[in-house]
C-alpha cells in the first residue's frame, strides 16, 4: 500500500528540479535525460568538437621529414604534403560519415587526381593491429596502392620503420598529443 501523498511529493520534487535547471538555462524534453544527468559524477569535455559538434578539422600535418603544414597551407602544399593528404583520403571510406574521415576529405580538397570507385580490398581494425588499410587499383601501374591510417605505433609497425625512425615518430606524436591534438598515423 502506498500513501496517497506519494504522487504529489514526486510531482513537486520533479517540478522543483525542473525549476532549478531552468535557472541554469537548461532545457530538456525528456525526464530520463534529467535523471541521467543527475546521476553523472564526471562530465567530459572535448576541445576538438567531436563530442559537441560531431565534427573534426585537420589543423596540422607533420611529414616524416619533419615538415609542418598548417591548415592554411594545405591547398598550396608541396607534392609530399599533397601525397599525405591524398593517402589519408584513400585510407578512409569512399563515402565517409565518420567525422575524422570527413575532416580528411575537407583538408584534401584539390590535392590532385583521386581514383574513382572504391578500394579493391579493405582490411579493418583488429585488436592486434589498430590500423585500417585500403588497397587501390592504379590505372597507371599494374601494382596496387596501399593506404593506411591508424594508431601511429601500428603504422610504424606496418611500415617496418627502423628503431631510430620509430623513436623520432613517437617524439613527434608525444609533442602533438601534448598540445591536445588527436594524432593519427598515415602511410
Amino acid at each position: 500500500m502506498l500513501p496517497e501523498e506519494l504522487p504529489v511529493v514526486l510531482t513537486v520534487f520533479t517540478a522543483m528540479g525542473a525549476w532549478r535547471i531552468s535557472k541554469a538555462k537548461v532545457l530538456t524534453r525528456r525526464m530520463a535525460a534529467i535523471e541521467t544527468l543527475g546521476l553523472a559524477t564526471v562530465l567530459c569535455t572535448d576541445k576538438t568538437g567531436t563530442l559537441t559538434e560531431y565534427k573534426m578539422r585537420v589543423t596540422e600535418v607533420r611529414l616524416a621529414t619533419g615538415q609542418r603544414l598548417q591548415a592554411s597551407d594545405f591547398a598550396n602544399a608541396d607534392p609530399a604534403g599533397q601525397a599525405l593528404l591524398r593517402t589519408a583520403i584513400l585510407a578512409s571510406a569512399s563515402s565517409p560519415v565518420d567525422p575524422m574521415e570527413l575532416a580528411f576529405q575537407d583538408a584534401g580538397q584539390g590535392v590532385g587526381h583521386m581514383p574513382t570507385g572504391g578500394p579493391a580490398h579493405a582490411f579493418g581494425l583488429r585488436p592486434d593491429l589498430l590500423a585500417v588499410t585500403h588497397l587501390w587499383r592504379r590505372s597507371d601501374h599494374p601494382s596496387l596502392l596501399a593506404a593506411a591510417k591508424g594508431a601511429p605505433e601500428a603504422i610504424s609497425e606496418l611500415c617496418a620503420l627502423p628503431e631510430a625512425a620509430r623513436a623520432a615518430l613517437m617524439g613527434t606524436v608525444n609533442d602533438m598529443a601534448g598540445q591536445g591534438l588527436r594524432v593519427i598515423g598515415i602511410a
Side-chain angles (χ1 to χ4, degrees):
M1 224 169 120
L2 293 173
E4 57 186 38
E5 296 88 9
L6 187 60
V8 173
V9 170
L10 289 176
T11 303
V12 168
F13 278 117
T14 304
M16 287 175 59
W19 176 75
R20 285 184 65 200
I21 66 169
S22 72
K23 290 289 189 191
K25 296 185 168 91
V26 174
L27 177 65
T28 184
R29 293 182 179 164
R30 292 181 297 166
M31 178 64 100
I34 296 171
E35 292 170 357
T36 302
L37 284 174
L39 296 173
T41 56
V42 175
L43 182 61
C44 297
T45 60
D46 177 19
K47 89 178 208 184
T48 63
T50 310
L51 293 175
T52 53
E53 300 175 2
Y54 200 61
K55 184 175 174 143
M56 294 179 76
R57 287 180 300 287
V58 177
T59 58
E60 183 178 327
V61 171
R62 293 201 193 175
L63 303 173
T65 61
Q67 181 185 3
R68 297 170 83 158
L69 296 174
Q70 300 300 323
S72 59
D73 302 330
F74 294 162
N76 303 319
D78 64 6
Q82 288 189 0
L84 182 65
L85 291 169
R86 216 176 9 260
T87 304
I89 294 169
L90 292 174
S92 303
S94 298
S95 299
V97 292
D98 178 72
M100 178 180 59
E101 293 178 345
L102 290 169
F104 290 152
Q105 293 266 337
D106 289 344
Q109 292 292 324
V111 293
H113 174 71
M114 297 294 291
T116 57
H121 191 69
F123 299 94
L125 291 172
R126 299 187 327 233
D128 61 326
L129 184 62
L130 298 176
V132 173
T133 304
H134 290 167
L135 297 178
W136 292 84
R137 295 201 189 284
R138 302 192 308 184
S139 59
D140 60 338
H141 201 277
S143 65
L144 294 173
L145 172 71
K149 70 173 189 231
E153 301 86 356
I155 297 299
S156 71
E157 185 179 321
L158 281 173
C159 294
L161 291 179
E163 196 56 43
R166 281 185 195 211
L169 172 69
M170 293 316 297
T172 300
V173 167
N174 291 334
D175 179 46
M176 293 176 80
Q179 296 173 33
L181 298 173
R182 182 177 186 181
V183 183
I184 305 295
I186 305 290

